[in-house]
Amino acid sequence: QSALTQPPSASGSPGQSVTISCTGTSSDIGAYNYVSWYQHHPGKAPKLMIYEVDKRPSGVPDRFSGSKSGNTASLTVSGLQAEDEADYYCTSFTLMSIHVVFGGGTKLTVL
Amino acid sequence: QVQLVESGGGLVKPGGSLRLSCAASGFTFRDYYMAWVRQAPGKGLECISYIGNVIYYADSVKGRFTISRDNAKNSLYLEMTSLRAEDMAVYYCARVVGATVGYGMDVWGQGTTITVSS
């Protein structure tokens, strides 16, 4: 069981928006503004899409946005495109153990 | 360009050992903390170790795996011993943003696969 809870799947049609949630606790997401989101196409290298809750690395389309409220973070993908179909993982900083907790991942399907 | 390339994966028997390498290029390797992240078949991502001024391990590998780096060779390593079936996974090396993996990992390799089987 993962430390952060994500829905196992999400879907949307091209052009639509979809939001993926990531629920933690007051010891991780709720305590720090260090939530990251990764996109992972099977067989490829994971890619950092969002860091520090809502910041986008250079090169990440602004269709991807992040937010946080309390112990829950969210990734929103607007204007869905076929290439957005992938697994998405959230992480949060924590003072425990190895200083990061992962979500179990959400498989995003573009219908 | 900024790149990480893992190598050293393969088939190993339970109880065996293996050493993974990660070659970095395109950035000043010594300036960054580095991490190893794995994904077991059908499972999610798990950070198992990272190295900066201090070394950290996940409980799942503590005492069996050793992370190290050679800044002169721009290389990161993972020495794995007493391998178990549950260690079977794709292993990625990743560059850490800031001073802890909790802040993010912004460059990843393509991964190398470890199969543990008799």
Side-chain angles (χ1 to χ4, degrees):
Chain A
Q1 186 174 355
S2 301
L4 304 179
T5 300
Q6 297 181 235
S9 63
S11 63
S13 299
Q16 288 187 332
S17 293
V18 65
T19 297
I20 299 171
S21 63
C22 172
T23 301
T25 70
S26 57
S27 295
D28 37 65
I29 291 178
Y32 308 101
N33 289 323
Y34 289 110
V35 176
S36 300
W37 289 90
Y38 299 88
Q39 179 190 66
H40 189 204
H41 290 103
K44 295 198 169 183
K47 179 181 179 182
L48 179 66
M49 305 301 285
I50 297 286
Y51 67 102
E52 291 181 21
V53 176
D54 58 5
K55 295 181 171 61
R56 278 187 309 277
S58 168
V60 172
D62 59 7
R63 303 185 295 103
F64 291 84
S65 61
S67 62
K68 188 188 89 166
S69 177
N71 296 338
T72 298
S74 298
L75 173 72
T76 298
V77 186
S78 304
L80 271 174
Q81 299 181 4
E83 59 262 34
D84 299 333
E85 186 163 293
D87 297 320
Y88 291 84
Y89 294 88
C90 62
T91 71
S92 173
F93 172 78
T94 173
L95 285 178
M96 298 170 63
S97 186
I98 201 170
H99 303 146
V100 66
V101 288
F102 278 80
T106 298
K107 182 176 181 58
L108 175 61
T109 300
V110 180
L111 301 170
Chain B
Q1 75 277 27
V2 175
Q3 194 173 10
L4 297 171
V5 179
E6 303 93 339
S7 60
L11 174 64
V12 61
K13 290 181 169 54
S17 300
L18 210 56
R19 189 197 199 205
L20 305 184
S21 300
C22 171
S25 58
F27 65 98
T28 306
F29 180 72
R30 65 176 178 271
D31 289 347
Y32 289 88
Y33 288 26
M34 297 294 296
W36 286 100
V37 178
R38 69 183 180 184
Q39 183 177 35
K43 303 287 188 181
L45 299 171
E46 177 193 15
C47 182
I48 57 171
S49 183
Y50 78 100
I51 182 169
N53 294 331
V54 186
I55 289 173
Y56 297 93
Y57 297 100
D59 291 341
S60 57
V61 305
K62 199 173 295 183
R64 300 187 300 122
F65 290 11
T66 302
I67 190 173
S68 63
R69 64 191 297 166
D70 185 336
N71 291 335
K73 295 184 177 179
N74 292 333
S75 292
L76 177 73
Y77 305 102
L78 186 68
E79 193 78 41
M80 304 183 293
T81 63
S82 302
L83 283 161
R84 308 165 179 167
E86 54 264 37
D87 296 318
M88 189 160 61
V90 177
Y91 284 73
Y92 299 95
C93 69
R95 188 176 80 173
V96 177
V97 175
T100 167
V101 289
Y103 292 178
M105 291 169 276
D106 65 345
V107 180
W108 295 66
Q110 295 278 358
T112 188
T113 301
I114 308 300
T115 301
V116 182
S117 175
S118 54

